[in-house]
Amino acid sequence: MSAFVIRMLVVPVLWVLLIGASPNIAFPDTVTIHEHPKIGLVLGGGGARGAAHVGVLKVLEANHIPIDYIVGTSMGAIIGGLYAAGLSPETIEAQLQTIDWTAVLRDKPSRSEMAFPLKWMEYDFPVKLEAGYRQGRILFPRGLIAGQQLGIILETLAFPRSHIKDFDQLPIPFRAVATDMETGEMVVLDHGNLPAAMRASVSVPGAFAPEEIDGRLLVDGGLVNEVPIDVARQLGADILIVVNVGAPLIERSGLASLVGTSAQVLRIMTRKNTAEQLASLSPKDILITPDLQLVGSTEFVKAREAIHSGEMAAYSMLPALQQLSISEIDYRAFLDRQRAPSQPPPVMYFVHLHNASPVADEIINRQLHIPLNQPLDLDVLQQDLNRLYGMGDFERVTFVHDETHGRHGLQINAQRKPWGPHYLRLALDASDDFSGGSTYNVMLGITSTRLNPLGAEWRNKIQTGATRLISTEFYQPFDYNSRYFISPRIAIENKISDVYEDDHRIAQYQATSYSSGLDWGVVFDNSTELRIGMLRDRIEAGPRVGAADLPQYDIEQGAILTRLTYDRLDNINFPRHGAFARLEWFGARDGLGADVSYDKLTTEINKPVTYTHYTVLSSLRIGSSLGSPLPFYDEFSLGGFLSLSGMQRGQLTGQRMALGRMMFYRQTRNPSSIRFAEAFYLGGSLELGGVWENNSELTLQTMNLAGSLLAGADTVIGPLYLAYGYTQGGHHAAYLYLGRVF
């Protein structure tokens, strides 16, 4: 073999060996790539002010600044966690501006998803506070907000990457900072369920219920480290970009309420740790402090303004930020890694139920519609969870996206109410017409739930005031779907009723009734219920005020009662959407023990129509005796606020009744924080109606035209009204009214 051929064979081999043995040898035609410094992004806590973080992210992306680590506290943990999971700043911005923050902060089940028995209970107990009773102790919720709505939002947004349990394996390594409620220690969350970690970091004590992770009760990380610079350094960041959105101390004028002083305590607690963290910044680090003077910590509806402030603050630091920019090609590679993959939902191969409640597994499973071996429908899953939450038995119902051996699935977590399953509810109603006509009632409800696997309940009411009441009812479903039920009940009631002649009150009667009944029913869905029952009642009545010769009454009742109810209203106090209808027939029969046989049919329809903040609520009530004379003690009546406003309550009585009403109101505030009142309203009503003895009297000329002007508030203890009403003929009255009026 010639020397030339040998060189042709040996030289390539030596060349390959040389390259393989010396990978770091630089050749003249190669380009030396300098390693970019590791950049850590620190996003501080500040409630709604934290939306400014999104504006900062938009500027960082526009200037090709990659992020190697993200550490966040509170709202910073939510924005940072979503970005670390692959959401773009634009997507996060859109979500912040479309979320119904009023619903998130109210955190009650949507009435459309609420179980029908709970809807019906709202008519007696419109109060928004609930307590529990167990082992001789009265217990309260662990926070004003359980966090159900926020949890569902976070779980849905982070879903494409929420199966990743090691936060170092996210597109951008991430840490969330929380506080151990028992020890007061800082907890740095680096693994587990990402939505739960974000939710824990934002749980302001007293406002949000704590999040339990690995056996620890965790709350807002801002209590111990609102701007966690030290955590980012421990991850290995060379340069830090720090965004501080903490709120300043409240001035004296804002400390006149419990809310203000409580907020000030939290700000004082976080002020020291924030100052210590900021003092540790080096000259190469970049501090961004958005101007958020016009955005409060609870004003989530101002997300747009906060995001804009974040952008402006980042642009003011642009010369320093641009020193960290990389090439467009390299930044595109960064975004390709960071963005969540655009792909169909994964196929679900398993669903595991973790049920930490007294509700039977079979009841929960029948509310879930998650087919196996098919792609997950997140919308259907959300509806299922909302329906479960609407049953009223759970503090929260959440899901966890799991992946085992490459197979995706879900874990459904049903978390019991720590203050259940025996519940106390309080109801107040009071009225004053400023003319001597004032009444009040206080009602206590005591309900024991989940008494057997089918979900039996024992419901008790005690009321004092103008009407005194003691009642008990046992509600027993027949199946796990809670569709069919039976309900025996007994009650003793004592109430006072005024008797009018024309415009004058001539007497006041006090009546005591002893009643018992048994209902059979079917719940068609969360909006419709049919009841058919039998009633026995004895009424003893006598004059309390009036002439000495007024008669005494001792009346026996025996009747069949049928009631069909449809309820899709979104709010029982000031509805804006949905509809309500009820048809009720009462048939008293002497064969059932009644002194008088007669029929009484009542129908009611309420339909709100809303445009932006304006609502028109149209209502119609009609009552008829179906040709049989009603006894005087069961005639229809009208009069009072929104029932021919200006007249006295029950001033008109007769055999037939009709009332049409158009109530209009404007929501004057879209609240973004927890206050005594969820919303305020201004409006009025137009009313047309009357009562008659027979059909021939029912004409437009015999109807009464009335109206009112009102201011209302949807408070935590029920709807509150201040109103003035007038009915033609000179009837007028002012009203201060607490309680449901329709």
Side-chain angles (χ1 to χ4, degrees):
M1 184 180 294
S2 68
F4 176 77
V5 174
I6 292 174
R7 285 197 302 270
M8 290 296 292
L9 294 175
V10 173
V11 170
V13 173
L14 292 175
W15 181 261
V16 171
L17 291 175
L18 181 62
I19 293 176
S22 306
N24 296 321
I25 293 178
F27 295 93
D29 57 347
T30 63
V31 178
T32 301
I33 300 177
H34 298 286
E35 185 177 353
H36 196 270
K38 298 293 184 182
I39 301 173
L41 179 63
V42 179
L43 303 180
R49 297 160 64 93
H53 296 318
V54 180
V56 174
L57 288 172
K58 292 171 68 176
V59 174
L60 296 182
E61 289 208 346
N63 289 274
H64 298 166
I65 300 171
I67 301 301
D68 297 286
Y69 310 103
I70 299 179
V71 180
T73 292
S74 194
M75 194 64 174
I78 289 180
I79 305 299
L82 294 177
Y83 189 68
L87 273 70
S88 69
E90 290 74 21
T91 299
I92 301 173
E93 178 180 22
Q95 291 296 327
L96 287 177
Q97 295 181 10
T98 57
I99 289 173
D100 183 353
W101 287 105
T102 301
V104 169
L105 295 176
R106 184 172 59 242
D107 203 41
K108 298 298 182 184
S110 166
R111 287 196 89 249
S112 62
E113 302 294 347
M114 189 182 292
F116 193 90
L118 287 182
K119 289 184 180 181
W120 194 248
M121 188 175 294
E122 273 195 318
Y123 285 87
D124 287 332
F125 299 96
V127 179
K128 298 173 175 58
L129 301 177
E130 180 185 74
Y133 179 83
R134 187 192 305 156
Q135 296 178 348
R137 298 172 56 202
I138 295 178
L139 306 173
F140 293 93
R142 297 186 296 178
L144 294 176
I145 303 171
Q148 172 71 16
Q149 303 300 329
L150 179 60
I152 292 293
I153 291 171
L154 295 178
E155 288 154 359
T156 302
L157 291 177
F159 184 80
R161 297 270 174 70
S162 62
H163 62 284
I164 298 176
K165 304 309 176 188
D166 182 351
F167 296 169
D168 283 337
Q169 301 304 312
L170 291 169
I172 302 175
F174 170 71
R175 298 291 186 270
V177 175
T179 303
D180 188 312
M181 191 69 171
E182 294 180 280
T183 66
E185 298 174 345
M186 179 177 71
V187 178
V188 178
L189 298 168
D190 59 2
H191 69 280
N193 178 247
L194 176 61
M198 294 188 287
R199 162 71 176 74
S201 184
V202 80
S203 297
V204 178
F208 282 91
E211 183 81 11
E212 184 172 347
I213 297 179
D214 296 335
R216 308 178 81 169
L217 288 178
L218 303 182
V219 294
D220 194 335
L223 297 177
V224 291
N225 201 344
E226 188 170 49
V227 187
I229 292 170
D230 53 347
V231 178
R233 291 204 193 283
Q234 293 168 8
L235 285 175
D238 300 312
I239 297 177
L240 299 181
I241 300 174
V242 179
V243 188
N244 179 22
V245 295
L249 293 179
I250 302 171
E251 297 179 356
R252 178 185 287 265
S253 60
L255 300 177
S257 67
L258 177 62
V259 174
T261 54
S262 299
Q264 185 78 320
V265 170
L266 289 176
R267 294 183 187 185
I268 292 172
M269 293 174 64
T270 61
R271 188 180 181 88
K272 182 179 180 181
N273 70 60
T274 298
E276 292 174 349
Q277 291 292 317
L278 294 179
S280 70
L281 291 175
S282 68
K284 63 181 180 180
D285 298 324
I286 301 171
L287 175 62
I288 299 174
T289 307
D291 182 2
L292 296 166
Q293 297 183 44
L294 301 180
V295 181
S297 300
T298 58
E299 295 182 303
F300 291 93
V301 293
K302 293 186 177 180
R304 185 186 301 274
E305 294 92 325
I307 292 171
H308 178 72
S309 296
E311 287 186 77
M312 294 301 98
Y315 276 121
S316 71
M317 302 299 295
L318 202 55
L321 290 172
Q322 287 179 332
Q323 299 299 315
L324 305 177
S325 297
I326 60 177
S327 69
E328 184 173 350
I329 294 176
D330 289 341
Y331 195 73
R332 175 51 55 190
F334 164 78
L335 288 183
D336 288 343
R337 296 192 303 272
Q338 183 268 337
R339 290 293 191 260
S342 178
Q343 59 187 22
V347 173
M348 294 292 105
Y349 289 99
F350 60 87
V351 176
H352 297 153
L353 173 62
H354 178 66
N355 181 16
S357 78
V359 183
D361 288 358
E362 184 64 25
I363 293 177
I364 297 176
N365 287 327
R366 293 198 179 198
Q367 298 296 327
L368 297 173
H369 304 87
I370 309 170
L372 298 182
N373 303 315
Q374 294 186 29
L376 176 66
D377 188 326
L378 275 172
D379 291 335
V380 172
L381 176 60
Q382 288 185 44
Q383 293 172 13
D384 291 347
L385 298 185
N386 287 334
R387 190 163 48 250
L388 282 169
Y389 186 57
M391 292 168 58
D393 296 285
F394 309 104
E395 183 179 40
R396 292 177 61 208
V397 185
T398 62
F399 71 91
V400 175
H401 180 191
D402 278 338
E403 183 182 17
T404 304
H405 305 302
R407 296 162 67 88
H408 291 264
L410 293 176
Q411 176 176 302
I412 306 298
N413 298 314
Q415 183 176 332
R416 71 179 180 88
K417 287 181 175 178
W419 61 96
H422 309 289
Y423 300 104
L424 305 178
R425 293 179 175 88
L426 189 68
L428 307 172
D429 75 70
S431 66
D432 193 331
D433 61 9
F434 302 100
S435 299
S438 62
T439 62
Y440 80 93
N441 290 291
V442 180
M443 180 186 290
L444 174 65
I446 307 172
T447 303
S448 296
T449 65
R450 303 298 164 187
L451 298 177
N452 57 39
L454 291 176
E457 296 183 2
W458 184 23
R459 304 166 180 173
N460 302 277
K461 299 176 187 176
I462 303 172
Q463 179 173 313
T464 186
T467 299
R468 287 172 286 178
L469 169 74
I470 298 177
S471 71
T472 186
E473 175 186 9
F474 191 81
Y475 181 87
Q476 176 62 68
F478 286 148
D479 62 330
Y480 286 115
N481 290 322
S482 299
R483 178 166 184 152
Y484 303 99
F485 65 90
I486 187 172
S487 179
R489 65 189 187 280
I490 58 175
I492 302 174
E493 182 180 41
N494 180 281
K495 65 180 180 180
I496 298 172
S497 302
D498 294 326
V499 180
Y500 289 87
E501 185 175 293
D502 296 327
D503 295 340
H504 304 288
R505 187 179 68 172
I506 62 172
Q508 190 176 73
Y509 266 75
Q510 181 166 309
T512 302
S513 67
Y514 308 87
S515 63
S516 61
L518 179 64
D519 290 347
W520 295 267
V522 55
V523 178
F524 295 99
D525 53 32
N526 286 344
S527 62
T528 309
E529 180 193 77
L530 173 65
R531 280 183 178 238
I532 301 174
M534 299 184 65
L535 171 72
R536 284 300 308 268
D537 193 6
R538 181 182 177 185
I539 304 171
E540 298 174 352
R544 184 171 181 265
V545 176
D549 59 348
L550 289 173
Q552 302 273 346
Y553 297 98
D554 192 341
I555 302 161
E556 293 286 345
Q557 286 269 50
I560 298 174
L561 178 65
T562 301
R563 180 191 299 130
L564 178 63
T565 306
Y566 173 84
D567 184 353
R568 293 282 292 182
L569 293 178
D570 64 329
N571 186 309
I572 191 61
N573 301 328
F574 294 91
R576 292 168 54 81
H577 305 285
F580 175 90
R582 181 168 56 200
L583 180 65
E584 183 174 290
W585 171 69
F586 182 90
R589 296 293 182 267
D590 55 9
L592 297 175
D595 291 341
V596 180
S597 295
Y598 64 94
D599 294 298
K600 186 177 183 180
L601 182 68
T602 308
T603 184
E604 178 181 356
I605 300 173
N606 293 280
K607 174 60 181 175
V609 176
T610 297
Y611 177 74
T612 63
H613 297 297
Y614 298 89
T615 299
V616 176
L617 175 60
S618 301
S619 303
L620 179 64
R621 285 168 47 202
I622 298 175
S624 172
S625 63
L626 300 178
S628 60
L630 299 178
F632 73 94
Y633 52 80
D634 205 13
E635 288 187 321
F636 296 104
S637 66
L638 284 179
F641 180 44
L642 296 179
S643 182
L644 296 183
S645 300
M647 288 189 169
Q648 299 300 312
R649 180 185 294 183
Q651 184 171 339
L652 301 180
T653 58
Q655 296 284 308
R656 289 151 181 79
M657 175 271 296
L659 176 68
R661 179 180 64 222
M662 292 187 68
M663 185 178 174
F664 50 92
Y665 43 88
R666 182 188 189 278
Q667 184 175 323
T668 61
R669 179 170 61 91
N670 187 11
S672 57
S673 60
I674 306 167
R675 303 175 188 269
F676 177 74
E678 289 187 354
F680 295 97
Y681 299 87
L682 291 174
S685 67
L686 290 175
E687 306 151 35
L688 182 67
V691 297
W692 303 271
E693 294 305 312
N694 53 65
N695 291 335
S696 62
E697 296 179 359
L698 202 164
T699 65
L700 189 61
Q701 288 73 27
T702 60
M703 289 188 175
N704 300 276
L705 180 63
S708 70
L709 296 175
L710 63 90
D714 196 0
T715 77
V716 294
I717 59 173
L720 177 66
Y721 302 88
L722 179 63
Y724 174 80
Y726 180 85
T727 300
Q728 67 181 85
H731 306 281
H732 60 89
Y735 300 97
L736 178 62
Y737 200 101
L738 173 66
R740 194 177 57 83
V741 294
F742 57 85

